[in-house]
Amino acid sequence: MATETDPSDPADPAALAARAAARAALLAAPGPVGRPRRQALARLTDDWLAGLLAAAGAGPSGVALVAVGGYGRGELSPRSDLDVLLLHDGPLARELPERIWYPVWDAGVRLDHSVRTVAGARSVAAADLKAQLGLLNARHLAGDPALTAELRAGVLTDWRASAPARLPELRELGRARAEQQGELSFLLEPDLKEARGGLRDVVALDAIAATWLADAPRDGLDAAARWLADVRDALHLVTGRATDRLALQEQDQVAERLGVLDADALLRRVYEAARTIAYAGDVTWRAVDRVLAARGGRGRRVRRAGIPFAGAGRGGAVARGAVERRPLAEGVVEQDGEAVLAQGARPAADPVLPLRAAAAAAQNGLTVSHATVRRLAAECRPLPVPWPDEAREQLVTLLGAGEAAVPVWEALEAEGLVRRLLPDWERVRCRPQRNAVHRWTVDRHLVETAVRAAGMTRRVARPDLLLVAALLHDIGKGWPGDHSRAGEVIVRDLAARMGFGPEDTGTLAVLVRHHLALVDTATRRDPDDPATVEAITGVVTTLPELELLHALTEADALATGPAAWSGWRASLVDGLVARVAARLVGAGTRQLEAAPTAEQERLAVEAARIGGPALSLRARSEGDPGTEPMGVELNLAIPDRPGLLGTAAGVLALHRLAVRSAGLRELDPVGSGPVLLLSWRVAAEYGELPEAARLRADLRRALDGSLDVARRLAERDAAAPRRRGIPTPPPLVAVAPATASATATVLEVRAHDAPGLLHRIGRALDGAGVRVRTAHVSTLGAEAVDSFYLTDAAGRPLTAGRAGEVAAAVRAVLG
């Protein structure tokens, strides 16, 4: 005899079949999709579970059915499991839970269930962070609403009270997931939920917001989370499984279901969403750190360059909780471990400020605060074209910071500042590379190549060109055809936009066009065939260009991934470079010196006549007329005397003037003896130029010995607050081959720039008893590239042994 059924019973087979049909119809319908469909699925499930609770015989009080976890947020993906808590306040009939759970299992739905009292649920949450996170989303389904309200209130109270202890644990969970699953933004087969920047991180951000200690930047965050959830929905429907990993074989079908052009377009949108979430996480966790540090009683003090701020008491003490602000650059200060704008900064009148802030932050191992980046994006005007010199130098300084540049670059990119600086960046941004050798998207690979190149700046005479070429070498991958050829066209335009001259633009174009030439030739051609060397000499024509191409080749390969560079490949490339260098010996090594200007000759005549220093100062302005001066041109002529270079450089450092370039030469304008002419281009460290009269007076005092420059600099350094540094390549001090000059010994110094660097070098040369006949000093970004032409007292080149001693003395002062 057939068994009678009751379709009104939600556990009845007919009712289960009707529910399944309704669910299938909802999933098959063309709309709603995305969040509306997830909410509709949740409502359908809510009604079913509420009916199961009623059919199980639960009374109107003492029992409640509560959705937790992802289901508690009121959304369900097509294959999501159900997280449900049966809450009660007293004895519970044993069969009641079974009457709810068994129909769910019979329907083939995965179920994560528990039965607890309010006190029991809170106790479990106190011991298990994941359980506590799930309960933060507790949502009433059916039964006694007062029980659910009591649970929610208690869990939130516990969470806020335990936040200082629990948030570090939450962070460690996120770090462990990121280490195991990687960064969603760069994976070809990402886990949409567990990878860094995935849906699990959105849950963590909501949990932080629930503490009331900090909140994430919300612009774009909800849209990013919705898109990842939409992709996950499509993935469930395509595979028919509850999977979160977007495998390669499913990407085209997922893209088609979402109405996206193709799998690459799908991944780009996934990556963009993940970056939004990951950046929001970085900003939020920094805010959490600040709050927890303040709650831990670590007071902050306010000092500027070692001087107590106004309002400090005797001895410089200040009230606890005051904000510490330390100057980093003009318009930029450090506060709470981040670079922020100084109170007097004027973003609307200072288009270089975003790059200056970014460079200062990276060089000090900091990032730029979220509020600062947003303000810069909102208020700063676009840079003029071509860029001012300072903008180009600040970009190079940022890139030269290596690993420390990455979070700063990410902050700029999050607010669209990178695309404003480099319009062609949009084509490579978040672009996937479907090659197992590549670890990164195109844009991140470019940044990583610059990071690698920052460790190779001592190997080249033009570190600025190396870093810019590293950043732009694959910029053509956003265009059809050969990316190297397209990149050459793009980089010529970008280099001119950045203000590089024709010669430097040509060098950058060669590097981008032929960045694969060395490795391709070395691994595919016979190294002993003369045509192999000629293939490279047809591309690069000077030793400096070869050095740049060699360093770029290695940086590119190292940034690609472990499989792209090996000891075998390195040895082949090194061998080819050695052969090409032997062919190019002497090419491009001579520096042509411009004839002295009329102003310089006038100063030399005056110095010879008065037997003392003669100088001129001229402020340099860049950009729009009426803008503030960006630096000073200083010409100093003085009858030859020992120690002049180090003394003059020390006075400039004392006045916080950073040397961007300098030249030293001998003139004999009236035939009465040599006069040294120093030509400087300097920039004010904090934007305030010294008064010309004071600078002139201090130069004269330093030369006559009444101003002890070295002692004053040491005292200032001792009083300045200590900042953490960033790793930089060790300084290189080398004696050039004798062929570099027939009349002098050339000492080459390459080092990370620092206040007083040229002063220390000059003092070391003076202490070694050598004459500096000529000098060529350049600061390219944050790297100093200097050449000193040295002779003995009789005007002859140094012996090999003596040159080695001088190099050792300079090396010692550079540490």
Side-chain angles (χ1 to χ4, degrees), residues 615 617 655 690-700:
L615 62 88
L617 290 150
H655 284 265
E691 295 179 0
R694 184 176 176 186
L695 181 60
R696 184 181 291 107
D698 283 350
L699 279 168
R700 287 174 174 163

Side-chain angles (χ1 to χ4, degrees), residues 100 165 179 202 204 231 250 259 291 302 490 492 531 562 571 630 657 777:
I100 302 171
E179 185 174 343
V202 178
V231 176
E250 275 104 35
V291 173
V302 180
I490 295 168
R492 286 186 182 277
S571 65
M630 302 298 296
L657 292 172
V777 174

Side-chain angles (χ1 to χ4, degrees), residues 131-154:
Q132 190 169 39
L133 293 175
L135 288 171
L136 288 175
N137 296 305
R139 181 171 60 88
H140 183 70
L141 295 177
D144 189 348
L147 270 183
T148 305
E150 181 184 353
L151 174 69
R152 282 183 53 83

Side-chain angles (χ1 to χ4, degrees), residues 326-335 337-342 352-369 372 376 390-391 393-401 404-405 407-409 412 660 684-686 723-726 752 781-782:
R326 296 173 178 171
L328 297 175
E330 169 62 12
V332 187
V333 299
E334 176 186 351
Q335 177 181 312
E338 296 179 321
V340 303
L341 295 185
V352 183
L353 188 55
L355 281 172
R356 191 185 311 122
Q363 287 292 328
N364 286 277
L366 309 170
T367 191
V368 186
S369 80
T372 294
L376 291 171
E390 189 200 359
E393 291 164 358
Q394 296 293 357
L395 174 64
V396 171
T397 301
L398 168 61
L399 299 176
V408 176
W409 189 270
L412 297 183
R660 307 310 301 171
E685 188 174 351
Y686 299 121
R723 294 195 189 99
R724 55 180 173 172
I726 59 171
H752 192 73

Side-chain angles (χ1 to χ4, degrees), residues 589-774:
T589 58
R590 181 172 299 176
Q591 291 185 329
L592 298 178
E593 194 168 51
T597 65
E599 172 68 7
Q600 290 170 340
E601 289 183 339
R602 183 191 67 76
L603 290 173
V605 170
E606 182 181 351
R609 180 180 61 81
I610 64 176
L615 62 88
S616 66
L617 290 150
R618 183 169 67 88
R620 302 175 69 249
S621 293
E622 294 175 341
D624 298 334
T627 58
E628 292 185 358
M630 302 298 296
V632 167
E633 288 182 357
L634 166 64
N635 287 305
L636 171 66
I638 189 170
D640 192 9
R641 52 170 293 173
L644 178 61
L645 178 62
T647 300
V651 172
L652 298 184
L654 201 58
H655 284 265
R656 298 192 182 278
L657 292 172
V659 177
R660 307 310 301 171
S661 65
L664 181 151
R665 68 169 78 183
E666 285 186 353
L667 299 176
D668 190 358
V670 294
S672 59
V675 171
L676 290 184
L677 177 67
L678 291 92
S679 304
W680 312 80
R681 183 170 72 86
V682 296
E685 188 174 351
Y686 299 121
E688 296 181 1
L689 298 176
E691 295 179 0
R694 184 176 176 186
L695 181 60
R696 184 181 291 107
D698 283 350
L699 279 168
R700 287 174 174 163
R701 289 172 57 213
L703 291 171
D704 66 23
S706 60
L707 174 62
D708 189 337
V709 175
R711 181 178 62 81
R712 289 279 300 277
L713 287 173
E715 290 173 349
R716 191 181 72 186
D717 290 344
R722 297 289 180 182
R723 294 195 189 99
R724 55 180 173 172
I726 59 171
T728 59
L732 173 69
V733 181
V735 179
T739 54
S741 174
T743 59
T745 297
V746 180
L747 185 71
E748 297 180 341
V749 180
R750 298 175 185 177
H752 192 73
D753 191 31
L757 176 68
L758 187 56
H759 169 65
R760 296 198 301 275
I761 295 173
R763 290 195 68 193
L765 295 176
D766 184 40
V770 297
R771 291 182 61 218
V772 182
R773 196 192 69 195
T774 307

